[in-house]
Amino acid sequence: MQRIGVFVCWCGSNIAATVDVAAVSDTLKNEPGVVFSTNYQYMCSESGQNILKDAIRDYQLTGVVICSCSPRMHEATFRKAAAAAGLNPYMVEIANIREQCSWIHKDKAAGTEKAIILGRAAIAKVHLNAPLTAGESPVTKRALVIGGGIAGIQTALDIAEAGFEVDIVEKQPTIGGKMTQLDKTFPTLDCAACILTPKMVDCAQNENISIYAYSEVEEVKGFVGNFHVKIRKKARYVDTTKCTGCGLCTEKCPVKKVSNEFNLGLDNRRAVYIPFAQAVPKVATIDADHCNMLKSGKCGLCAKVCTAGAIDYKQKDEIIDREYGAIVVATGYQPIALDKYDEFAYSQSKDVVTSLEFERLTNAAGPTGGTLLRPSDGTHPHTLVFVQCVGSRCEDDGRGKSYCSKICCMYTAKHAMLVREKYPDTEVYVFYIDVRTPGKNFDEFYRRAVEEYGVHYIKGMVGKVAPRADGKLMVQACDLLANEQLHIEADMVILAAAIEPDPSARHLATMLTASMDTNDFFTEAHPKLRPVESPTAGIFLSGVCQGPKDIPETVSQASAAAAKAIGLLAKNKLTCNPCVAHSDEWMCNGCSACEKVCPYGAITYMDKEFRMPDRTTAIRRVASVNPAVCQGCGACTVACPSGAMDLDGFSNSQIMAEVDAICKMK
Amino acid sequence: MSKEFDREQILRTSGVNPRKCMRCGKCSATCPSYDEMEYHPHQFVYMVEKGQLDELMASKSIYKCLSCFACVERCPRGVEPARLVEAVRLQVVRQQGNNHLKANDIPALLDDDLPQQAIVTALRKYSK
């Protein structure tokens, strides 16, 4: 029989106003096994904890029930206090009589009755508690950053700064991500390349950082502190150790008409290419889909002109095995496809462009050298119409996204402002539903576009864009404030397309067993208090993979994710949660039901030899739980048809004892 | 009949939830009959929401909607303003003596170019 102490907390008036705490402690005193029962104003205070510690010693308590707030709030506090008094911390149970009782009841009699019942349930559970000891696992002191955009770069730099090794895996031939394609950045209008490329170079030069560009994560195994990752380094057909990035091959390659993805298809590149001048690593890549030599064996011009002898047509994909303690996801975003938005004529006219394409059209390193020209005929546009919220804030209609993409209001204000500044002869219209500019100096920036640059902001949406035979775009829109329909003859229409997570994110989330929301954004462990951690231990989130955000926010989050990863890598050993599942091998029938429901990949099956009662041996397939990976969610215990799976600290018998105590008649 | 009854009836027959509207005005931006209408598609949505039905039901706007459903197709929130216009119109024509088009009026409207289907549709739309 356990010797149980009951401690009822008033929580000031939070509990005491709706629950008669003295009645609760008096009633629970008569429960079997209870040798001590008291109530106190603030159990979590130092003097409250001392009452607990003294009682444990004086009454030789083997179990403790605290009737107080949610275990999320103070379970750790009371476990620590009990441990200090020599009691196993897992012999402490919390009866939540605040969130689940006093806060939701008005009637004191009913509240008191419920508090007593909740206390009884906790006492019934403590009777079956057994001391648990937390295990330890080692930590590999290296981090993996998946995605080499500004988010991944910042996270990697911060982790490297703390003295840990970091690997960046980037699927494109260069790191830098979307930010390399931008012209200027709001709200200060500094040039994106000027602030980003030095960071890219820092990554390349930092001895703690290894860049795996043109590579993808192929497989993730293991658990927090001990991830085993396979990285596929895709064949570039160029020896990166020899290539000097001189670019001679990219000038001589005879295949000239390959759509240039860096300029979003607005111009062409060769089959062997360097995405842009400041690429890191600055080495050439041969596009196997278009290279004549790789397709038909007839050409070899690049190999002839390469003075470094770096071209290697026989190169194969390489698989690299690495171990990591922490993984940071920074997979970023892409603009949504606009082919379903027929009303905006995106597929019909070259002069209807997305905002990201517009960035390239105004970028000094873009296809027009920074002069804004109509893509269709290369003339100077006079009337430009910007349309906001294209695909954002849509009901689930199969075309758009339900969320606000967050960055469009600001970059559209930037585009409109820059066009008016550079080309004062233009008329610029921005059609908006709401202008959302919360952020430091953001609203001032938008007001400058209106007040100083004379951009016409019109409340209302564009209904349709009709290309006319003479090349003009007929824009039909509504001015809701003037209550009139507008017909504008435009030269260019720029669509602020919604952003969505990179399509590779879903597959990656499956490999990492990291959870995602319905929009394929990674979910954070807590939306307010743990915003950069995935619920899966050891996985951290950086940048737009977690939700739409602009560059300043992305960089803040990237540094936050780095801080969390550093906190993990700085530990030599990890204390595991001892409340993990275990399988009774004699009851397990090897059905795999638990393995299928386990969200953390903690359960594996193995064939094991058993000595049977008749002294023969038999090989049986049984489940085995890796306690370092198990998060104690209990899904397997529910799924197991034979009752072989049980959760330490929350065993089936403990839960049933609680239910019985609640259902028992007074 | 009470205004509240009218409003409930309109919401029921249309199946529209005007609260879903985020006031983007795309319905009115896309409407080909905009200039013909006193009250525009986006106004139908919030006037029904606010219960300003007398004005809507007295307005000729309810007969100007072409039922082209461009607003239904393009509304980002799935509000379907055309169904609301249709429901307001039905609420009017269903009342005693409120047929907008009577069979006897039709011969005067006929000409050689008018497709027969248009006559049938108009009669269905504008009469009980």
Side-chain angles (χ1 to χ4, degrees), chain A residues 343 393 395 459 461 476 485, chain B residues 20 24 26 28-29 31 76:
Chain A
E343 67 262 42
R393 308 171 66 192
E395 198 182 45
K459 159 84 185 166
M461 196 60 179
Q476 184 179 311
Q485 202 174 47
Chain B
K20 277 167 48 178
C24 75
K26 200 171 181 182
S28 289
C31 180

Side-chain angles (χ1 to χ4, degrees), chain A residues 591-600 603 605 635-636 639:
Chain A
C591 70
S592 290
C594 54
E595 189 188 12
K596 282 181 199 133
V597 297
C598 178
Y600 306 99
I603 300 173
Y605 274 82
C636 54

